[in-house]
Amino acid sequence: MATWNTAAAVGEREDLSNIIERIDPAETPVFSNAKKQVTKAVYHEWQVQELAAAVDTNYVNEGADFSYVNPTATTRLGNYHQISVQAAQVSGTLDSVDKAGRDKETAYVQLLKGLEQRRDIDKALFKNEAQSASDPRKAGKLLSYMTNVSLISASTTPAGTGADVSDMAGTNAALTLAKIDAAMKAAYSDGGSPDMMVVSPANKVAFSDLSSGSAVTNQLHMTANAPTDAVIVGSVSMYLTDFGTLNVVIDRQAANTEIMLLDTDHYSIGHLPGRLFASHDAGIVGDATRFSIISEWTLIVSAPKAHGAVFDLSTT
């Protein structure tokens, strides 16, 4: 007599895990590292003050009258808010039936849409796009505020006001340490202290491959004035330059054609009150609930000269 087994029997319950695996990454390093601040108008403005250049001839005769020199006027910068929206609708039935991995479908979909919007904003920050007041309004992105740019070829450099961008017309070429160091030096000379080097996955590999020696375990790459060649190891998490230490951060949304050196003290995300990942119920339409996730945000680069960038990379 054949053994009575699961293949013959009827009524075995399904074994569906209550954990939903999500392979798509949700990390947003540039957005997440930005400070968040509440703004009050569609066009947000801020001021940048520069000191007079230092001199080594600051001495006068005893009893002499003073030379009265007023400080330079502040530079007034600004950026527009843009509106990012994710919307969805869930049927009443789907909200009611028993589901694996989540309770209420509406809350679950809202969570997913919030993660998607965070990634959209992070990706937008890398776009070569100037600010625009025309509907739909657009915020000037990071590349439109970069002035300390190491150009590999003949691309233009933005003015750093958010109103224009590089034409990116140069012939792209390979990444070198010299180009990173040149951008870092320019930012440092202008008073900045970049602490985060943002690279795409491909540029992370290209950076790690810039090896002039061999090492296995170090996670720190130093380029100080020394009689021996500098060494980069396979997994570089920090880059110690002559002008400060850079945390090398991989952002999946970053472009292969640029690398940015950001001073995290001098950029932030502004948003109108209650308008950052705000969930709005659009009401019930028929037998479905509609809702939206809305962010009205802008990029605030409080000191454009504090940052650096390398353009015209041919990394693939």
Side-chain angles (χ1 to χ4, degrees):
M1 181 178 178
T3 301
W4 186 246
N5 58 30
T6 56
V10 176
E12 181 183 8
R13 291 185 181 275
E14 67 176 1
D15 182 15
L16 179 60
S17 173
N18 266 320
I19 298 176
I20 299 176
E21 304 292 345
R22 191 177 66 240
I23 190 171
D24 294 302
E27 299 93 342
T28 54
V30 171
F31 174 83
S32 299
N33 277 286
K35 297 184 289 292
K36 310 301 185 295
Q37 65 182 81
V38 177
T39 50
K40 298 180 180 180
V42 166
Y43 186 67
H44 177 72
E45 295 183 276
W46 62 93
Q47 297 181 79
V48 179
Q49 178 71 68
E50 292 191 20
L51 300 177
V55 299
D56 58 4
T57 56
N58 194 343
Y59 36 73
V60 297
N61 293 334
E62 184 177 337
D65 195 6
F66 304 132
S67 176
Y68 299 92
V69 180
N70 292 325
T72 58
T74 59
T75 301
R76 190 166 174 168
L77 299 177
N79 205 356
Y80 288 97
H81 289 69
Q82 70 179 59
I83 302 173
S84 298
V85 176
Q86 256 79 14
Q89 62 181 37
V90 176
S91 74
T93 302
L94 185 55
D95 250 349
S96 299
V97 298
D98 188 24
K99 298 171 289 294
R102 69 273 195 198
D103 183 14
K104 194 172 179 64
E105 189 71 12
T106 301
Y108 178 66
V109 175
Q110 285 177 327
L111 171 63
L112 293 180
K113 290 299 175 183
L115 292 174
E116 289 175 358
Q117 187 167 112
R118 185 181 297 267
R119 293 202 312 171
D120 284 355
I121 295 173
D122 190 74
K123 187 175 182 66
L125 292 171
F126 291 99
K127 190 174 183 180
N128 191 35
E129 185 170 59
Q131 60 185 242
S132 173
S134 301
D135 280 333
R137 295 190 309 271
K138 301 176 185 68
K141 308 310 189 294
L142 282 166
L143 294 180
S144 69
Y145 287 95
M146 293 291 165
T147 60
N148 292 312
V149 178
S150 179
L151 296 173
I152 291 179
S153 56
S155 292
T156 59
T157 299
T161 64
D164 72 326
V165 292
S166 170
D167 61 7
M168 298 295 181
T171 302
N172 293 346
L175 174 67
T176 66
L177 287 181
K179 295 174 178 68
I180 297 173
D181 292 342
M184 187 69 175
K185 177 184 176 183
Y188 182 85
S189 298
D190 276 342
S193 297
D195 55 0
M196 183 168 70
M197 185 169 84
V198 185
V199 296
S200 67
N203 273 323
K204 175 59 171 66
V205 174
F207 177 69
S208 296
D209 284 346
L210 296 175
S211 176
S212 57
S214 61
V216 178
T217 58
N218 262 331
Q219 294 291 302
L220 188 65
H221 170 58
M222 294 180 285
T223 57
N225 294 324
T228 58
D229 287 340
V231 176
I232 292 184
V233 294
S235 179
V236 181
S237 56
M238 300 180 73
Y239 178 22
L240 183 56
T241 76
D242 290 326
F243 306 100
T245 302
L246 288 166
N247 292 306
V248 183
V249 176
I250 305 171
D251 195 311
R252 291 179 174 90
Q253 314 305 330
N256 289 338
T257 48
E258 297 90 40
I259 283 178
M260 284 187 285
L261 315 179
L262 300 180
D263 185 333
T264 54
D265 286 334
H266 291 293
Y267 86 96
S268 58
I269 298 295
H271 62 91
L272 294 180
R275 298 276 284 176
L276 187 63
F277 303 115
S279 177
H280 295 279
D281 188 348
I284 297 175
V285 179
D287 189 26
T289 299
R290 291 181 175 179
F291 61 88
S292 62
I293 307 294
I294 297 176
S295 292
E296 192 158 4
W297 63 275
T298 191
L299 172 66
I300 302 169
V301 183
S302 56
K305 291 183 177 181
H307 312 283
V310 181
F311 287 0
D312 302 326
L313 295 174
S314 61
T315 311
T316 58

